[in-house]
């Protein structure tokens, strides 16, 4: 198998040279995470040697087609490192994340902060603003008791997110002098607690911090609609988060202040015979 550096792959895609390369059929559906886990541990090896799984995936037909037609915006999650990763930057973190940084994050919009962080924000004219979370790098261990000392985002990222939510122009990178119509929070794990499988790895295990985010979203009083887009579950669900009855946010008459989440399935969704999504209370209302 021919192996290429990230720079070579991007150059070939840009010059439409990918079609001339023979990628073995057996590698078309290659599981990238397994290769990265075994190869990325060779710290200090050349990129062309340590990143074969990413190279194969970038040369696959579906990847080439998507990158020609869509603007990819990538966020890191546990399978860049290990399942349900909650150990921060310890252990194999750096070696496992290097391929992600070169192949994915390097072409993302600029980060909110320029200290090596991987969360970022961008705007789409005056219509929408997006905040792409990093839910792994700064995460507290999943088994810690919930409360102010437990965080999925870390203090700095949470503050940056809340500042972005409450900022009048809606833009964390390029202000437009006017309020955007929609603000989208992108989370690699579900925001709702209605999923009843692996809850501690989702926001269900970080409800204190989730409440801080919801209160900030409700506080803008409907100036912009707030939508959360999430992944990780192998099912689809839509959830509504209304402000508590009698709260100051619920008294915003005639303005929609509820937050909505759409949790999407992966492109290679497999059949799951038993649904794990179920509403338990009036805090997380199941729409579908």
């Amino acid at each position: 198998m021919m192996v290429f550096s990230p720079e070579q792959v991007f150059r070939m895609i840009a010059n439409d040279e990918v079609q001339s390369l023979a990628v073995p059929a057996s590698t078309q559906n290659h599981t990238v995470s397994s290769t990265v886990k075994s190869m990325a541990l060779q710290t200090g090896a050349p990129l062309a040697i340590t990143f074969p799984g990413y190279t194969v995936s970038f040369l696959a037909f579906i990847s080439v087609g998507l990158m020609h037609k869509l603007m990819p915006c990538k966020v890191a999650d546990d399978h860049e490192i290990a399942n349900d990763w909650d150990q921060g930057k310890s252990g194999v973190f750096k070696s496992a994340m290097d391929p992600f940084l070169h192949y994915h994050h390097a072409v993302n919009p600029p980060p909110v902060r320029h200290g090596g962080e991987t969360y970022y924000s961008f705007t789409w004219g005056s219509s929408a603003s997006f905040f792409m979370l990093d839910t792994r790098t700064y995460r507290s261990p999943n088994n810690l008791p919930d409360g102010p000392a437990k965080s999925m985002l870390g203090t700095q990222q949470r503050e940056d997110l809340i500042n972005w939510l409450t900022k009048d122009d809606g833009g964390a990178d390029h202000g437009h002098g006017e309020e955007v119509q929609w603000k989208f929070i992108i989370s690699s794990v579900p925001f709702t607690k209605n999923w009843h499988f692996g809850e501690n790895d989702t926001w269900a295990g970080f409800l204190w911090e989730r409440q801080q985010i919801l209160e900030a979203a409700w506080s803008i009083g409907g100036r912009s609609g707030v939508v959360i887009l999430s992944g990780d579950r192998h099912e689809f669900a839509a959830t509504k988060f209304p402000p508590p009855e009698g709260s100051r946010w619920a008294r915003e008459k005639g303005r929609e202040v509820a937050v909505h989440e759409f949790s999407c399935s992966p492109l290679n969704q497999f059949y799951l015979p038993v649904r794990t999504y179920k509403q338990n209370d009036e805090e997380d209302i199941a729409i579908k």
Side-chain angles (χ1 to χ4, degrees):
M1 181 185 72
M2 299 179 67
V3 177
F4 303 92
S5 69
E7 291 78 6
Q8 289 174 307
V9 172
F10 285 126
R11 185 164 57 250
M12 289 185 290
I13 290 174
N15 296 331
D16 285 325
E17 297 173 5
V18 174
Q19 289 76 7
S20 64
L21 298 171
V23 180
S26 61
T27 65
Q28 291 289 333
N29 296 317
H30 191 280
T31 302
V32 175
S33 59
S34 64
T35 295
V36 171
K37 185 181 295 184
S38 61
M39 299 296 290
L41 299 181
Q42 301 178 28
T43 307
L47 290 179
I49 296 176
T50 58
F51 300 172
Y54 273 81
T55 301
V56 168
S57 290
F58 267 57
L59 293 177
F61 173 78
I62 188 171
S63 296
V64 174
L66 285 173
M67 285 188 286
H68 268 299
K69 298 176 181 178
L70 300 174
M71 180 184 75
C73 294
K74 311 295 181 63
V75 293
D77 200 21
D78 54 343
H79 287 281
E80 268 70 56
I81 313 160
N83 190 48
D84 294 350
W85 180 260
D86 63 353
Q87 300 303 309
K89 298 181 179 181
S90 66
V92 300
F93 177 87
K94 184 181 184 302
S95 296
M97 281 293 289
D98 275 349
F100 173 84
L101 295 175
H102 283 88
Y103 272 89
H104 293 302
H105 186 59
V107 294
N108 280 334
V112 172
R113 296 181 176 274
H114 298 280
E117 287 79 4
T118 55
Y119 60 93
Y120 57 99
S121 177
F122 62 93
T123 57
W124 188 266
S126 61
S127 298
S129 182
F130 299 80
F131 197 106
M132 317 290 276
L133 298 175
D134 179 341
T135 67
R136 294 292 164 185
T137 303
Y138 315 99
R139 175 189 288 247
S140 302
N142 291 338
N143 60 2
L144 284 183
D146 196 8
K150 184 179 183 182
S151 175
M152 185 183 294
L153 304 180
T155 302
Q156 188 64 72
Q157 183 179 191
R158 182 175 67 243
E159 290 179 356
D160 287 341
L161 172 64
I162 290 174
N163 288 339
W164 167 83
L165 271 172
T166 56
K167 191 175 181 180
D168 283 348
D169 62 19
D173 49 1
H174 302 293
H176 291 277
E178 58 185 349
E179 192 70 15
V180 295
Q181 293 176 287
W182 297 96
K183 294 184 179 181
F184 292 90
I185 300 172
I186 315 301
S187 172
S188 63
V189 296
F191 200 71
T192 180
K193 60 180 183 294
N194 285 348
W195 296 105
H196 300 286
F197 179 81
E199 294 98 323
N200 283 344
D201 193 58
T202 74
W203 283 97
F206 298 79
L207 292 178
W208 181 88
E209 186 171 51
R210 189 185 85 149
Q211 185 67 16
Q212 311 311 303
I213 297 169
L214 283 173
E215 290 180 6
W218 295 329
S219 73
I220 67 175
R223 297 195 317 260
S224 299
V226 179
V227 175
I228 298 164
L229 302 179
S230 66
D232 191 53
R233 303 292 94 165
H234 291 265
E235 309 171 53
F236 168 81
T239 309
K240 180 179 180 179
F241 307 93
E245 290 188 16
S247 68
R248 64 182 183 274
W249 308 290
R251 292 194 289 270
E252 291 285 347
K253 303 299 183 183
R255 308 177 84 174
E256 177 58 73
V257 300
V259 175
H260 293 79
E261 176 188 19
F262 298 94
S263 191
C264 306
S265 297
L267 292 176
N268 61 340
Q269 162 71 358
F270 55 74
Y271 175 66
L272 191 65
V274 179
R275 289 274 289 172
T276 64
Y277 178 89
K278 181 181 179 181
Q279 178 178 335
N280 286 336
D281 52 42
E282 296 302 313
E283 293 181 349
D284 297 29
I285 298 177
I287 300 175
K288 184 174 179 60

